[in-house]
Amino acid sequence: MLEIRNLCVETDGKPILKGINLSVKAGEVHAIMGPNGSGKSTLAHVLSGRDGYEVTAGEVLYQGVDLLDRAPEERARDGVFLAFQYPVEIPGVSNVYLLKAALNAVRKQRGEEELDAMDFMAYVREKLKLVEMDESFLSRAVNQGFSGGEKKRNEILQMAVLEPRLAILDETDSGLDIDALRIVAGGVNSLRTPERSMILVTHYQRLLDYIVPDHVHVLANGQIVRSGGRELALELEEKGYSWINQAGAAGGEARP
Amino acid sequence: MTTATDPYHALVNREYSEGFVTDIESETLPPGLDEDVIRVISAKKKEPEFLLNWRLEAFRHWQTMREPRWASVHHAPIDYQALSYYSAPKSDADRPKSLDEVDPELLRTYEKLGIPLREQEMLAGVIGGNVAVDAVFDSVSVATTFKKTLAEKGIIFGSFSEAVQTHPELIEQYLGSVVPVGDNFFAALNSAVFSDGSFCYVPKGVRCPMELSTYFRINQANTGQFERTLLIADEGSYVSYLEGCTAPQRDENQLHAAVVELVALADAEIKYSTVQNWYPGDAEGKGGIYNFVTKRGDCRGDRAKISWTQVETGSAITWKYPSCVLRGNDSIGEFYSVALTNNAQQADTGTKMIHLGRNTSSTIISKGISAGKGHNAYRGLVKVGKGAEGARNYTQCDSLLIGDKCSAHTFPYIEVQNPSASVEHEATTSKISDDQLFYCMQRGLDAEDAVSMIVNGFCKEVFRELPMEFAVEAQKLLGISLEGSVG
């Protein structure tokens, strides 16, 4: 699904990612953890095509094809989805309008018919249930006046509607109370399929209690310093990131 | 940089889609303006003497006036003697009695513009919700539909020239009663030389059963267009009027100085909606229309209401302030505006709300969008007279900038002479952020659609005031007008 090889990225001449290697297979959920400033969000942004980063070395293959050459909207239509850490407000544009425009852009790419208003509403109503939102969400302006929890649920709703092949969730747990976290995680879990891969970018272990990853990677100073299973996250929680920094400085190998 | 995208690149170098020219022989006066020209125009239209005298009075007034200089727009001097002041399709001598007699070339032009007159006439009388079109082609109305349906209600709707013949008493009573001949330079010029336009009278207590619509279209090189519109809503009546404009592509600047007068008597309501899409000129502004328009409504009776909604996307220069004189007690004035300037377009537009009666209220919602090197100014006056006890105004003035070469300006004037008045003014300026664009693009929208969607969201409060079919057209137009917004 996704193959990242020796990815090096700079912003404003400052190196952020220094040789990332990561392989994500179909159906896998990978968690990327790390302290603030380790490059987690940069990785999410580069994969989704955000402006402002310079790739200085390495490559990213998505379904066997170079990803980095492609415009963000092309990546999106091809199934790469980013759940934003800070979802953007768009005054005056209703949620349902954006959802429908986005879905039809993706469907067009897939060679499917665009959905008309009736079919779309029937489709989206089912998706609303996954994130426990009622229909009034649809007519509100995109993220405007939404609480933190509502914004994150809205991201997951968009993901459910667009049915991506690769979903990157950037700090989806930040700013959530425990109930909202449960709802968001429930939505994400219901979207796990053998075909769909996910990358969870998170600072805290807490999210992984709800969305159990297949692999955990620890990012520090722009490099993956450890990889392991679920237990790595727990170990990290117990010992803190300072433990990793020391281990990273000692040149610790990725664990099996 | 492999992740870089130029979100506007795809928008560049589109051509104006309404740019075609119809080949119809025209009867055109040689360029120049003096009293003889006015006498010829009046004679050609077989006007009664009062109207000729009125034109001449306006002309004499105009000769003493100078072009306004206060607007925040720039253009080369206009040589008024180089313009031709009358042009009519040749078939004028033998006016068509029905659409079948209309020049097929003309009908094709309308079809290109999406005004299916034939269809509309066939639809006449089927169900409500139809649109009556009094089509103005150059200076003379050539086709009017739905007249019968309206006549049954006692509504007079048709070309101005026709009304001069059939209802001279109404013309004499109301013409110039809202915008006097000497009101301003362009209004005076219009009063002297106006060619044709629309006239509407809705009798007491009648609710007009359909949206009335006029499509204006300039089609003659070097021909100034001077439309005159007069709308009278008698006591307790209601009328909604739609005005839409597109113009074919031209190399020389064309002057358009229209005057619109609205009169709402007691308990009457007039809703006047405009979508203006005159040719804006090329990317450097060459060849666009100068749109210098005077629009004013008079709430002459108590509880009268006048609501202006405008979507201004075209013209090289727009100079326009649809206004309300709130004379009647408890009368209401509204102004909802979207003005978009792209490339080298300039707009100085806004409104005047003149509160004279007691408990009068007005609302102003203005949305200015600047892209390219566009220059956009809101200019508004809220005036509360001494006797306007309890007057209220709310003004909201938002500007949206796209790119870094455009500008937005706000000139709100407030004059209050009554201490019980309440006047609120809110203003914001914002840019389409990279974050918003990226968010939409990450959901699969291309940059053009994303910009169009965000701009339409910005304008939502105005668009919802438009009749449905116009709202759809306006949204499309905004998208088209934004093409090539930033290089």
Side-chain angles (χ1 to χ4, degrees):
Chain A
M1 177 70 70
L2 186 74
E3 200 66 47
I4 303 176
R5 293 179 190 148
N6 188 35
L7 181 65
C8 298
V9 174
E10 290 183 356
T11 183
D12 296 330
K14 190 175 152 221
I16 306 290
L17 300 181
K18 305 162 186 167
I20 301 284
N21 290 291
L22 183 65
S23 176
V24 179
K25 294 190 175 62
E28 290 182 347
V29 174
H30 289 243
I32 299 195
M33 303 184 65
N36 292 331
S38 59
K40 301 189 301 289
S41 283
T42 297
L43 180 61
H45 289 159
V46 169
L47 291 178
S48 55
R50 186 171 200 131
D51 233 343
Y53 301 97
E54 191 175 354
V55 176
T56 52
E59 63 175 354
V60 177
L61 298 179
Y62 170 65
Q63 298 185 311
V65 182
D66 186 10
L67 183 69
L68 299 180
D69 266 348
R70 313 187 63 199
E73 66 271 28
E74 291 172 346
R75 302 182 198 195
R77 291 172 200 159
D78 240 357
V80 177
F81 179 90
L82 173 67
F84 284 63
Q85 182 179 4
Y86 304 109
V88 179
E89 299 185 2
I90 310 178
V93 175
S94 69
N95 232 353
V96 70
Y97 187 94
L98 175 65
L99 278 172
K100 185 159 177 277
L103 178 65
N104 281 333
V106 169
R107 287 179 69 92
K108 206 171 151 194
Q109 175 74 15
R110 291 184 198 144
E112 296 167 356
E113 291 265 308
E114 293 192 5
L115 287 186
D116 64 25
M118 294 289 282
D119 290 343
F120 176 76
M121 283 309 292
Y123 176 79
V124 84
R125 272 192 200 106
E126 287 306 306
K127 304 296 185 183
L128 278 168
K129 291 177 192 160
L130 294 179
V131 283
E132 301 179 28
M133 288 161 92
D134 66 55
E135 256 184 80
S136 65
F137 267 83
L138 297 176
S139 52
R140 288 168 66 182
V142 177
N143 293 321
Q144 204 181 23
F146 282 30
S147 70
E150 286 173 336
K151 284 182 179 175
K152 296 301 174 79
R153 275 150 77 186
N154 202 23
E155 293 294 291
I156 305 307
L157 172 67
Q158 292 175 359
M159 174 176 157
V161 166
L162 297 178
E163 300 186 323
R165 294 195 187 94
L166 173 66
I168 304 155
L169 282 66
D170 189 5
E171 306 269 5
T172 292
D173 51 331
S174 68
L176 293 187
D177 63 30
I178 202 74
D179 290 329
L181 181 62
R182 182 187 53 75
I183 293 169
V184 164
V188 173
N189 282 329
S190 69
L191 295 169
R192 284 178 83 156
T193 71
E195 296 82 34
R196 182 170 297 134
S197 310
M198 296 188 195
I199 296 175
L200 311 177
V201 172
T202 181
H203 189 85
Y204 299 105
Q205 197 297 122
R206 184 178 72 152
L207 177 68
L208 308 183
D209 290 338
Y210 294 88
I211 308 171
V212 179
D214 301 306
H215 301 275
V216 175
H217 311 276
V218 180
L219 195 62
N221 289 320
Q223 288 181 309
I224 292 180
V225 292
R226 280 190 184 259
S227 295
R230 163 100 222 280
E231 68 288 346
L232 176 56
L234 297 171
E235 194 177 348
L236 204 56
E237 176 88 343
E238 192 185 316
K239 297 184 178 171
Y241 282 115
S242 56
W243 164 66
I244 285 299
N245 287 340
Q246 289 156 11
E253 284 291 308
R255 287 166 24 153
Chain B
M1 171 68 230
T2 50
T3 56
T5 51
D6 179 353
Y8 304 107
H9 184 74
L11 311 184
V12 179
N13 294 333
R14 293 286 195 88
E15 285 186 7
Y16 181 68
S17 62
E18 311 285 8
F20 48 85
V21 175
T22 309
D23 185 23
I24 290 182
E25 287 182 79
S26 293
E27 188 184 345
T28 302
L29 279 182
L33 181 58
D34 55 24
E35 291 203 3
D36 288 342
V37 168
I38 290 163
R39 286 176 202 280
V40 170
I41 294 171
S42 192
K44 270 183 181 291
K45 302 174 96 47
K46 301 184 178 64
E47 288 177 351
E49 201 174 344
F50 81 86
L51 198 48
L52 172 63
N53 291 336
W54 191 79
R55 285 177 182 273
L56 290 172
E57 185 196 339
F59 177 67
R60 286 163 197 151
H61 227 297
W62 178 71
Q63 284 178 305
T64 68
M65 301 173 91
R66 303 184 59 164
E67 268 183 59
R69 295 265 177 247
W70 45 262
S72 180
V73 298
H74 306 279
H75 59 84
I78 298 167
D79 182 355
Y80 293 92
Q81 294 301 335
L83 299 171
S84 168
Y85 289 88
Y86 186 78
S87 139
K90 267 199 167 165
S91 54
D92 183 41
D94 186 12
R95 286 178 70 87
K97 304 289 181 293
S98 73
L99 287 181
D100 295 337
E101 293 176 29
V102 172
D103 189 329
E105 182 76 9
L106 190 57
L107 293 179
R108 273 196 293 277
T109 305
Y110 286 131
E111 272 160 34
K112 280 192 225 172
L113 282 170
I115 314 165
L117 279 178
R118 279 178 183 283
E119 264 181 63
Q120 293 203 16
E121 203 178 47
M122 282 191 285
L123 287 168
V126 179
I127 330 168
N130 295 323
V131 177
V133 176
D134 172 20
V136 176
F137 187 84
D138 268 4
S139 311
V140 172
S141 295
V142 290
T144 303
T145 51
F146 288 97
K147 211 167 259 184
K148 275 184 196 160
T149 319
L150 296 172
E152 282 164 17
K153 294 257 180 190
I155 296 167
I156 305 162
F157 175 53
S159 79
F160 196 93
S161 314
E162 197 174 55
V164 167
Q165 304 303 325
T166 57
H167 299 87
E169 73 291 349
L170 287 174
I171 302 285
E172 191 165 13
Q173 185 182 351
Y174 289 105
L175 181 66
S177 71
V178 186
V179 180
V181 288
D183 187 79
N184 67 70
F185 182 84
F186 297 113
L189 179 62
N190 173 286
S191 302
V193 303
F194 72 87
S195 41
D196 207 340
S198 292
F199 175 84
C200 180
Y201 171 81
V202 186
K204 273 184 195 174
V206 170
R207 194 178 168 86
C208 184
M210 61 183 79
E211 314 269 0
L212 300 181
S213 173
T214 300
Y215 284 80
F216 295 105
R217 184 171 173 80
I218 296 178
N219 197 264
Q220 224 18 217
N222 280 326
T223 305
Q225 181 95 358
F226 303 96
E227 301 290 341
R228 189 87 197 187
T229 298
L230 177 57
L231 235 106
I232 302 141
D234 212 328
E235 291 174 14
S237 68
Y238 168 84
V239 61
S240 168
Y241 192 88
L242 316 182
E243 173 197 48
C245 316
T246 56
Q249 191 156 350
R250 284 291 178 191
D251 281 328
E252 289 149 89
N253 287 309
Q254 291 180 304
L255 176 64
H256 181 73
V259 173
V260 175
E261 295 179 278
L262 311 182
V263 179
L265 301 181
D267 298 299
E269 179 177 351
I270 301 175
K271 191 171 167 60
Y272 194 103
S273 312
T274 305
V275 171
Q276 184 266 113
N277 184 28
W278 300 109
Y279 179 53
D282 63 16
E284 275 73 51
K286 187 172 177 289
I289 303 291
Y290 291 177
N291 192 28
F292 301 150
V293 183
T294 305
K295 290 185 168 179
R296 195 173 304 154
D298 189 354
C299 288
R300 208 161 279 183
D302 293 348
R303 296 167 303 279
K305 180 178 175 184
I306 290 177
S307 180
W308 298 99
T309 306
Q310 62 171 20
V311 178
E312 303 282 325
T313 61
S315 296
I317 303 177
T318 298
W319 178 97
K320 182 181 170 187
Y321 315 90
S323 304
C324 297
V325 181
L326 303 172
R327 205 182 300 276
N329 296 329
D330 301 295
S331 61
I332 297 170
E334 293 174 340
F335 175 73
Y336 301 96
S337 169
V338 168
L340 182 150
T341 51
N342 191 8
N343 295 320
Q345 281 179 280
Q346 309 173 55
D348 192 303
T349 186
T351 186
K352 288 187 278 186
M353 293 291 175
I354 314 293
H355 293 255
L356 300 175
R358 288 191 305 277
N359 299 318
T360 47
S361 68
S362 61
T363 303
I364 299 170
I365 309 283
S366 165
K367 304 278 181 176
I369 303 149
S370 305
K373 291 176 285 177
H375 182 96
N376 207 321
Y378 167 83
R379 188 183 302 276
L381 168 67
V382 176
K383 184 171 182 168
V384 178
K386 277 196 186 113
E389 202 69 29
R392 295 183 307 280
N393 163 266
Y394 173 74
T395 300
Q396 185 190 328
C397 214
D398 299 325
S399 303
L400 184 69
L401 303 173
I402 304 173
D404 54 10
K405 293 185 186 68
C406 55
S407 61
H409 310 265
T410 305
F411 305 100
Y413 304 87
I414 299 171
E415 294 172 23
V416 179
Q417 293 170 333
N418 186 304
S420 68
S422 140
V423 177
E424 285 177 71
H425 181 94
E426 288 180 22
T428 67
T429 302
S430 55
K431 280 189 77 165
I432 291 188
S433 72
D434 292 346
D435 283 348
Q436 286 175 327
L437 270 183
F438 178 66
Y439 190 71
C440 295
M441 289 161 79
Q442 215 300 309
R443 297 300 180 250
L445 277 65
D446 59 37
E448 191 172 328
D449 292 342
V451 169
S452 176
M453 186 179 80
I454 293 166
V455 170
N456 275 303
F458 174 74
C459 300
K460 197 175 199 175
E461 289 156 285
V462 174
F463 286 166
R464 70 175 172 219
E465 297 296 327
L466 288 171
M468 182 60 90
E469 62 269 40
F470 242 34
V472 173
E473 191 177 327
Q475 290 187 24
K476 277 190 210 153
L477 228 134
L478 220 55
I480 293 168
S481 305
L482 278 168
E483 286 168 2
S485 53
V486 175

